[in-house]
C-alpha cells in the first residue's frame, strides 16, 4: 500500500474538518459543473463524497484509492453514483468513454500527476472537458507560505508548492475557462478541453 493510500485511510475520520474550509469553493465549482450539458462524468479521488448531493444532472462514476474514504463515500452516494476503488493513475476504463473528468483537490495530492493527467486525457472523449479545482501557487506573498509548507509534503501527502505548468501532459488540453476564487485567487477552477 502506498504512503498516500495509507495516509488517507488513517485520515478519513478527520477529513470533515478539512472539508469545512473547502466547502465554499466546492459550491462554486459544482455551480459551474451543473451548467454543463448532461453527460457521463468521472470524478477521480472522490474522498468522503460529502459533496455528492451537489451534482444535479450528470451520470456519475466515482473512483477513490483509499478504502476508508471510499467506504464513507458510499454512504453519501445516491443510486445514480457508481463507485469503485481504483487508482486514477491506472484507470480501468476504456479510452474515450467520458464527457467530463473532475479533479477536486486531487492533482496536488496524486503521487504522479503526469500519469493522472494522461489518464484523464485517455478516458475523455474528444471535446470532453477536464474540470480542476485546486490551489495554485501564486506569484505573491503566498508563495512563501507554500514554500514553507512544502517542507512537510511527506507528512501531509500534499504538494503545497504547486505549478500546473510543470505537468507536461496538461499541454494536451486547450484551456477553456479559468475562475480565480476569492480571497487572494489562491484557489482556482480550471476548465480544459481535449481537442
Ligand atoms: C484532498 S482529498 C480531496 C477529496 C475530494 N475530492 C474533495 O474535494 O473533498 C484527495 C483525495 O484524492 C484521493 N487520491 C489521491 N490520489 C489518487 C489517485 N491516484 N487515485 C484515486 N484517488 C486518489 C485521496 O485518497 C483523497 O481521498
Amino acid at each position: 500500500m502506498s504512503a498516500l493510500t495509507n495516509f488517507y485511510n488513517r485520515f478519513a475520520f478527520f477529513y470533515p474538518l478539512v472539508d469545512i474550509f473547502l466547502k465554499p469553493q466546492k459550491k462554486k465549482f459544482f455551480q459551474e459543473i451543473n451548467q454543463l450539458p448532461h453527460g457521463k462524468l468521472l470524478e477521480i479521488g472522490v474522498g468522503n463524497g460529502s459533496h455528492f448531493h451537489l451534482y444535479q444532472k450528470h451520470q456519475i462514476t466515482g473512483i477513490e484509492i483509499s478504502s476508508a474514504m471510499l467506504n464513507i463515500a458510499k454512504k453519501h452516494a445516491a443510486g445514480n453514483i457508481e463507485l469503485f476503488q481504483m487508482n486514477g493513475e491506472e484507470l480501468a476504463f476504456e479510452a474515450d468513454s467520458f464527457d467530463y473528468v473532475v479533479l477536486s483537490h486531487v492533482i496536488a495530492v496524486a503521487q504522479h500527476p503526469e500519469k493522472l493527467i494522461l489518464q484523464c486525457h485517455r478516458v475523455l472523449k474528444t471535446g470532453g472537458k477536464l474540470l480542476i479545482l485546486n490551489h495554485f501557487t501564486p506569484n505573491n506573498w503566498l508563495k512563501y507560505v507554500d514554500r514553507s509548507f512544502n517542507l512537510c509534503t511527506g507528512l501531509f501527502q500534499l504538494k503545497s508548492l504547486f505549478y500546473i505548468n510543470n505537468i507536461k501532459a496538461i499541454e494536451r488540453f486547450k484551456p477553456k475557462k479559468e475562475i480565480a476564487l476569492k480571497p487572494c485567487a489562491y484557489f482556482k477552477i480550471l476548465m480544459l478541453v481535449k481537442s
Side-chain angles (χ1 to χ4, degrees):
M1 189 187 295
S2 72
L4 177 99
T5 312
N6 203 16
F7 174 82
Y8 276 99
N9 280 344
R10 282 185 285 121
F11 189 60
F13 180 77
F14 301 100
Y15 192 74
L17 294 175
V18 174
D19 213 20
I20 293 170
F21 296 99
L22 307 181
K23 271 205 171 105
Q25 310 151 22
K26 283 193 199 166
K27 203 172 158 206
K28 176 69 186 150
F29 190 44
F30 282 93
Q31 276 169 7
E32 287 295 318
I33 291 173
N34 289 326
Q35 283 174 32
L36 297 166
H38 190 271
K40 284 182 71 183
L41 182 152
L42 171 67
E43 182 177 345
I44 298 178
V46 295
N48 67 8
S50 61
H51 56 281
F52 284 160
H53 66 282
L54 296 172
Y55 282 115
Q56 285 175 358
K57 62 181 181 204
H58 296 101
Q59 187 188 332
I60 317 291
T61 303
I63 67 143
E64 172 53 56
I65 202 166
S66 147
S67 57
M69 289 296 248
L70 187 68
N71 285 339
I72 303 174
K74 282 179 181 163
K75 294 181 189 149
H76 290 282
N80 62 334
I81 300 184
E82 265 194 308
L83 290 173
F84 302 96
Q85 187 174 7
M86 200 185 289
N87 183 350
E89 296 166 12
E90 296 166 12
L91 291 175
F93 305 110
E94 305 229 324
D96 308 322
S97 45
F98 291 95
D99 300 287
Y100 308 103
V101 173
V102 168
L103 297 174
S104 168
H105 296 292
V106 173
I107 194 166
V109 167
Q111 288 190 308
H112 307 101
E114 202 73 58
K115 282 189 188 171
L116 179 68
I117 296 299
L118 282 174
Q119 284 294 313
C120 295
H121 190 270
R122 186 183 69 77
V123 300
L124 269 171
K125 297 175 187 172
T126 303
K129 295 184 177 68
L130 174 61
L131 297 134
I132 300 176
L133 168 63
N134 216 83
H135 76 274
F136 297 88
T137 300
N139 197 16
N140 60 29
W141 60 273
L142 278 167
K143 70 182 170 202
Y144 301 108
V145 179
D146 274 358
R147 273 184 205 167
S148 328
F149 274 107
N150 214 44
L151 302 170
C152 316
T153 297
L155 263 185
F156 299 107
Q157 297 296 319
L158 165 78
K159 296 166 203 73
S160 63
L161 202 57
F162 179 70
Y163 300 100
I164 197 150
N165 290 336
N166 287 350
I167 305 173
K168 285 286 300 162
I170 214 79
E171 290 168 14
R172 295 179 179 224
F173 292 88
K174 275 198 183 141
K176 167 113 178 139
K177 196 170 184 180
E178 178 174 322
I179 303 171
L181 301 175
K182 289 178 188 161
C184 309
Y186 181 65
F187 293 98
K188 285 182 187 168
I189 294 170
L190 299 187
M191 192 188 289
L192 305 148
V193 182
K194 173 176 170 175
S195 49

